[in-house]
Amino acid sequence: MGCCQSSLFKRTRSDKDRYPQTTGLNHTPPSNGTDAAAAGVGDGGGGAGGVPAFSEFSLADLKAATNNFSSDFIVSESGEKAPNVVYKGRLQNRRWIAVKKFTKLAWPDPKQFADEAWGVGKLRHRRLANLIGYCCDGDERLLVAEYMPNDTLAKHLFHWENQTIEWAMRLRVALYIAEALDYCSAEGRPLYHDLNAYRVLFDENGDPRLSCFGMMKNSRDGKSYSTNLAYTPPEYLRNGRVTPESVIFSFGTVLLDLLSGKHIPPSHALDMIRGKNIPLLMDSHLEGNFSTEEATVVFELASQCLQYEPRERPSPRNLVETLAPLQNKPDVPSYVMLGIPKHEEAPPTPQHPLSPMGDACTRMDLTAIHQILVMTHYKDDEGTNELSFQEWTQQMRDMLEARKRGDLAFRDKDFKTAIDCYSQFIDVGTMVSPTVYARRSLCYLLCDQPDTALRDAMQAQCVYPDWSTAFYMQAVALAKLDMHKDAADMLNEAAALEEKRQRGGRGS
């Protein structure tokens, strides 16, 4: 897994020096309070569980995640010809990401780019493909977001292969994007640059989300709209500025896309609406399977959004209030309506035979894991440390005393004290113990801090690469983070290591 250079060890804004790059394990991980707070910032009841805290990535991490920005990893609709290429990648904690790589010097001032990224990174909502990090390194400017695996609205509307999007799903897309805009507006980020069908992405469950990349311009002084001028808000053509009302105009063009299945210039569509030619505007691929009453409401809303005078357009809250009552299949999952495969949860058990530790991790039984770690004590630490006589005499007494206090607190289930004591032991750095990392990982899990627990489990693997317990603890943390497929993979790796040990290799 190569976890010793893990991208989990990233710089947070609380660091004294925000902009130089983080390197390896010399950086102290963010405090647990930072992770918890950032994951819930601005949630507004929207929910964004499992989204990591926003932070700075090193360029090395992102190169590793994207195979050195290989063309095979490009997911931009225009491929390498896109003005700012987007790659998919996989971090060493196994999380999939999307990386937007700006052209060189698009943002000459790294501080300005970082400040903009941090502003967007505070947003957290289930209707957004949330921004989770950025990178400034030399001329490189990169944004990192959650990866959405099921293509764009443009692909499903304009370039579909097996089936077109059914009417109820189109209404859901409209509502979800309206909810995203309403949330962003309420959080003081009402501007969105070049909202169009390519900015609407579908997650692993087929739910539509608004790409966070549109919250930032493509360059500090660049244009906010890359689409044809026929789709550009009239006030932007007059003064070159994006306003909250400009975003509503662009939302109106997306509504037209959803209604017609085509990219119709707003002026042409408005002429047809005024002429009562609504049936001619509707997507023929729907084959009449839609409600005329609902379609009329959406057409009227689109017409309001596309008004020439910005002040005559509805607010994001008005959009939500109009679209919410139209939802007519609330219990049908999005992946069913899109006709894509169901996102499978991880299998409950790995393919290999399970030890008591493996069984406890599969069941997410933290109490049983605690009992096993207490009984195992430090038998797996043998051979992981080579200390000089000087190191023994100068530092071992205090360090082992801290570990002893941690062991007592761990045994007595005083997990916060155990974290403090084990941290004292680890911070000295003279002696490295995979067991201490595994124990502190469990403590973090029991304190509902799975991000930090995953870091410690990965550190345990760094110290002892073939130790199945380190993999098991990663599996539990990944499952707590709702990364169930990765958790199942990790359980299988751990069980395979145990089998190897039983055949004569070291590991437990």
Side-chain angles (χ1 to χ4, degrees):
M1 192 181 229
C3 62
C4 288
Q5 292 296 327
S6 168
S7 52
L8 282 173
F9 291 85
K10 307 185 288 276
R11 189 177 297 271
T12 68
R13 190 162 195 150
S14 59
D15 292 323
K16 293 180 180 178
D17 182 4
R18 281 172 31 208
Y19 303 108
Q21 292 296 299
T22 303
T23 55
L25 299 182
N26 294 324
H27 169 59
T28 303
S31 69
N32 309 315
T34 301
D35 279 352
V41 163
D43 195 17
V51 182
F54 184 86
S55 51
E56 182 182 1
F57 287 79
S58 72
L59 184 60
D61 283 333
L62 299 184
K63 283 184 174 180
T66 59
N67 194 22
N68 200 25
F69 300 108
S70 166
S71 59
D72 294 335
F73 284 63
I74 293 175
V75 293
S76 308
E77 294 284 346
S78 302
E80 291 179 281
K81 296 180 180 179
N84 299 288
V85 182
V86 179
Y87 299 82
K88 71 175 180 180
R90 201 173 197 185
L91 299 174
Q92 294 192 11
N93 67 351
R94 309 176 76 84
R95 179 185 290 275
W96 286 100
I97 56 172
V99 181
K100 183 172 183 178
K101 191 172 189 286
F102 290 86
T103 54
K104 287 187 177 180
L105 300 179
W107 292 82
D109 183 351
K111 183 179 184 302
Q112 187 178 39
F113 178 77
D115 286 343
E116 282 288 312
W118 276 99
V120 177
K122 291 177 181 178
L123 302 174
R124 285 291 181 271
H125 200 277
R126 69 182 183 274
R127 304 295 183 233
L128 294 174
N130 294 283
L131 196 67
I132 61 175
Y134 77 105
C135 172
C136 285
D137 189 326
D139 289 335
E140 299 291 352
R141 305 287 183 266
L142 303 110
L143 296 176
V144 183
E146 295 179 288
Y147 177 64
M148 302 290 112
N150 282 310
D151 295 316
T152 66
L153 177 61
K155 174 72 179 294
H156 287 279
L157 268 183
F158 310 139
H159 312 293
W160 54 274
E161 296 174 0
N162 299 318
Q163 69 178 64
T164 190
I165 306 179
E166 68 171 89
W167 176 244
M169 186 63 194
R170 299 185 192 209
L171 293 174
R172 182 174 295 180
V173 171
L175 174 63
Y176 282 17
I177 301 311
E179 288 178 344
L181 295 176
D182 185 42
Y183 162 74
C184 293
S185 180
E187 292 297 313
R189 304 286 307 195
L191 301 185
Y192 195 94
H193 303 275
D194 206 11
L195 174 59
N196 57 59
Y198 293 95
R199 300 286 199 180
V200 180
L201 314 172
F202 293 91
D203 66 18
E204 65 276 6
N205 297 313
D207 287 328
R209 301 212 213 171
L210 183 62
S211 170
C212 61
F213 289 152
M215 304 297 291
M216 287 180 63
K217 289 192 295 186
N218 284 333
S219 65
R220 182 191 62 178
D221 301 317
K223 294 187 296 183
S224 293
Y225 287 87
S226 59
T227 52
N228 188 297
L229 293 181
Y231 305 93
T232 302
E235 64 274 13
Y236 181 79
L237 296 176
R238 291 197 300 268
N239 56 37
R241 290 191 301 111
V242 176
T243 66
E245 293 78 18
S246 306
V247 181
I248 301 300
F249 183 95
S250 296
F251 181 79
T253 68
V254 174
L255 288 181
L256 289 181
D257 294 342
L258 289 166
L259 288 161
S260 68
K262 298 180 283 291
H263 205 35
I264 299 176
S267 58
H268 179 57
L270 287 173
D271 287 340
M272 295 183 74
I273 293 171
R274 294 187 192 104
K276 307 297 183 182
N277 290 322
I278 290 178
L280 292 177
L281 270 172
M282 289 300 295
D283 190 349
S284 60
H285 294 109
L286 288 170
E287 298 179 342
N289 294 314
F290 62 90
S291 161
T292 303
E293 293 77 11
E294 292 169 352
T296 301
V297 172
V298 179
F299 269 116
E300 289 176 351
L301 183 62
S303 179
Q304 294 169 25
C305 292
L306 297 170
Q307 289 299 305
Y308 184 84
E309 290 297 333
R311 65 177 179 274
E312 295 179 4
R313 299 171 196 159
S315 68
R317 173 49 48 184
N318 296 147
L319 301 178
V320 174
E321 291 171 348
T322 301
L323 293 165
L326 302 181
Q327 306 304 305
N328 53 32
K329 288 189 177 180
D331 299 326
V332 179
S334 294
Y335 70 85
V336 172
M337 289 197 279
L338 277 180
I340 61 176
K342 182 180 186 298
H343 175 63
E344 295 292 339
E345 292 293 318
T349 56
Q351 301 165 0
H352 300 272
L354 288 173
S355 66
M357 183 65 162
D359 178 65
C361 290
T362 300
R363 292 183 289 108
M364 302 285 288
D365 188 341
L366 301 185
T367 300
I369 296 172
H370 174 256
Q371 293 173 345
I372 292 168
L373 289 178
V374 169
M375 293 176 63
T376 305
H377 204 54
Y378 287 90
K379 72 180 184 67
D380 293 318
D381 279 16
E382 182 181 351
T384 58
N385 293 279
E386 294 182 6
L387 299 172
S388 67
F389 176 76
Q390 182 182 15
E391 286 172 329
W392 273 94
T393 55
Q394 288 186 350
Q395 294 180 326
M396 284 301 293
R397 181 176 298 174
D398 290 343
M399 194 166 56
L400 290 176
E401 180 61 30
R403 192 182 76 174
K404 182 179 179 180
R405 293 195 308 272
D407 291 339
L408 291 172
F410 185 78
R411 183 197 65 188
D412 295 338
K413 301 183 180 180
D414 181 359
F415 298 115
K416 290 185 178 180
T417 299
I419 288 172
D420 291 340
C421 295
Y422 286 146
S423 297
Q424 292 175 28
F425 172 86
I426 289 169
D427 290 345
V428 173
T430 302
M431 182 178 179
V432 183
S433 166
T435 298
V436 167
Y437 279 117
R439 289 183 169 209
R440 193 172 71 168
S441 176
L442 179 63
C443 291
Y444 282 129
L445 285 172
L446 287 158
C447 293
D448 197 26
Q449 297 173 26
D451 274 326
T452 320
L454 181 58
R455 291 191 187 93
D456 270 1
M458 294 176 74
Q459 281 284 35
Q461 183 194 344
C462 289
V463 178
Y464 188 169
D466 296 325
W467 191 34
S468 60
T469 297
F471 287 80
Y472 276 133
M473 295 307 299
Q474 289 178 62
V476 177
L478 287 165
K480 288 283 189 181
L481 291 166
D482 294 327
M483 299 170 69
H484 297 289
K485 180 63 172 66
D486 295 321
D489 291 343
M490 198 63 69
L491 281 172
N492 273 313
E493 290 187 52
L497 287 170
E498 287 185 322
E499 274 194 335
K500 177 182 175 183
R501 175 178 179 268
Q502 291 170 1
R503 293 195 302 266
R506 181 174 176 248
S508 65

